[in-house]
Amino acid sequence: MDYEYTPFRKEMDLHNKCCGGMVWCIRDICGIICAILTWLLILYAEFVVMFIILIPSPYSLYSIINMVIFQTCAFLAFASHLRTMFTDPGAVPKGNATKEMIKQMGFREGQVIFKCPKCCSIKPERAHHCSVCQRCIRKMDHHCPWVNNCVGENNQKFFVLFTFYIAAISLHSLFMAVNQFLTCIRNEWKDCSTYSPPATVVLLLFLIFEALLFAIFTAVMLGTQVQAIWNDETGIEQLKKEEARWVKKSRWKSIQAVFGRFSIGWFSPFAGPTPKTKYESYLYSV
């Protein structure tokens, strides 16, 4: 439905913003710790894969090929994490549910408008309030402490890519760590690593445990995200078993709404989701 609206001026909303309002950031100590822990685990995998497995390997072709694959996926995983963490997930402006604002937005008299009692916002369809972000988030799927942010309309693509690339490097490092462990046993730990055999065993075993744990966890998350997008439902809507009051998109249109038209950009954390319409950009700008 199209609405007429009259532009109006308002102050910039700096809630959950840093760097002068340029970057979205959630000041949650639990989320910050989880995000830093994620970076440290990626760096640990980098260290073991590079300095225990690939660099000491006598097979240069094996090392180069696996190094390129692992480093590419690790970089894309890290970039996807940052984009998910520092992208506004779709926050609705706080305190805009006033009579003056409603009139200026061009809503018709008698039109049903939902107001969030917690942040005093005009609540769009399919928006939910996040107690951590303290905002209503459009198409909120869930709040993830590992990315210290909500997963919503604007950053769901980046979260899906994050889980995809983490699952990829986890499976890749699991294969390399098991292969290295078996090779060391066959060679009786001779010229296996620049570190002592006990240290090498500990490092490889921890990498195997980490890779197996995160491969399972992120693969499950990736599957649930793809299923939710495929069915045009968010995680919250599935959990609450909410009856669809919106017109559901076809499965292909639902995927395109998150990733855009099919291209190599689907797999890039540097290509954003589909731009909003002129009215949506106006109504939900912060």
Side-chain angles (χ1 to χ4, degrees):
M1 184 180 292
D2 294 328
Y3 301 102
E4 293 181 358
Y5 60 86
T6 303
F8 58 92
R9 297 185 65 180
K10 54 185 174 60
E11 294 182 0
M12 181 182 290
D13 185 355
L14 297 178
H15 182 253
N16 289 342
K17 297 287 185 71
C18 56
C19 300
M22 297 176 62
V23 179
W24 175 270
C25 56
I26 304 299
R27 297 171 181 85
D28 175 54
I29 186 64
C30 177
I32 292 172
I33 291 172
C34 288
I36 293 174
L37 182 60
T38 301
W39 300 338
L40 291 176
L41 289 171
I42 293 175
L43 289 175
Y44 175 79
E46 281 272 357
F47 168 75
V48 177
V49 167
M50 293 300 296
F51 295 100
I52 302 296
I53 300 175
L54 296 180
I55 293 178
S57 175
Y59 307 104
S60 57
L61 184 60
Y62 170 85
S63 296
I64 292 172
I65 292 174
N66 283 284
M67 197 179 298
V68 170
I69 295 172
F70 185 82
Q71 292 296 344
T72 301
C73 290
F75 171 76
L76 291 172
F78 189 72
S80 299
H81 185 272
L82 292 178
R83 289 301 304 271
T84 309
M85 184 174 178
F86 294 116
T87 297
D88 181 347
V92 179
K94 292 187 72 173
N96 67 346
T98 62
K99 289 183 179 180
E100 295 77 10
M101 196 74 73
I102 291 171
K103 282 184 180 180
Q104 289 175 319
M105 285 183 176
F107 289 107
R108 298 191 179 99
E109 186 176 350
Q111 182 180 343
V112 177
I113 297 172
F114 294 96
K115 174 183 175 181
C116 177
K118 297 178 181 178
C119 58
C120 193
S121 299
I122 297 174
K123 199 171 184 179
E125 193 173 54
R126 305 185 70 182
H128 292 83
H129 185 85
C130 174
S131 58
V132 180
C133 296
Q134 298 179 358
R135 299 288 286 271
C136 281
I137 307 296
R138 301 191 306 276
K139 289 186 68 177
M140 175 182 169
D141 186 87
H142 69 288
H143 184 94
C144 179
W146 295 103
V147 297
N148 190 32
N149 201 1
C150 273
V151 177
E153 184 178 80
N154 293 344
N155 66 346
Q156 188 174 25
K157 172 192 172 179
F158 306 134
F159 182 75
V160 171
L161 290 179
F162 169 65
T163 57
F164 173 75
Y165 288 120
I166 288 293
I169 64 173
S170 296
L171 291 172
H172 189 204
S173 58
L174 180 63
F175 163 76
M176 289 188 291
V178 171
N179 182 62
Q180 181 72 7
F181 199 84
L182 295 176
T183 301
C184 290
I185 292 175
R186 284 197 301 268
N187 295 334
E188 298 181 351
W189 301 95
K190 294 177 181 178
D191 300 323
C192 177
S193 169
T194 54
Y195 294 85
S196 64
T200 303
V201 169
V202 172
L203 291 170
L204 287 175
L205 286 178
F206 188 80
L207 177 62
I208 291 172
F209 172 76
E210 176 193 349
L212 186 61
L213 180 66
F214 278 93
I216 295 172
F217 177 69
T218 53
V220 170
M221 285 299 300
L222 177 63
T224 57
Q225 287 292 303
V226 171
Q227 182 189 32
I229 296 169
W230 185 257
N231 295 325
D232 193 18
E233 288 182 325
T234 64
I236 290 180
E237 290 162 355
Q238 289 180 335
L239 188 64
K240 292 184 175 181
K241 297 181 179 179
E242 294 183 359
E243 184 179 350
R245 297 187 301 272
W246 61 94
V247 178
K248 280 197 171 186
K249 304 181 183 72
S250 67
R251 289 173 174 174
W252 182 244
K253 290 291 184 182
S254 182
I255 292 173
Q256 285 185 320
V258 176
F259 292 95
R261 292 185 177 181
F262 181 73
S263 67
I264 193 66
W266 271 26
F267 303 96
S268 171
F270 304 104
T274 305
K276 301 181 186 66
T277 63
K278 181 180 179 182
Y279 176 72
E280 288 174 329
S281 299
Y282 162 78
L283 181 58
Y284 302 132
S285 61
V286 178

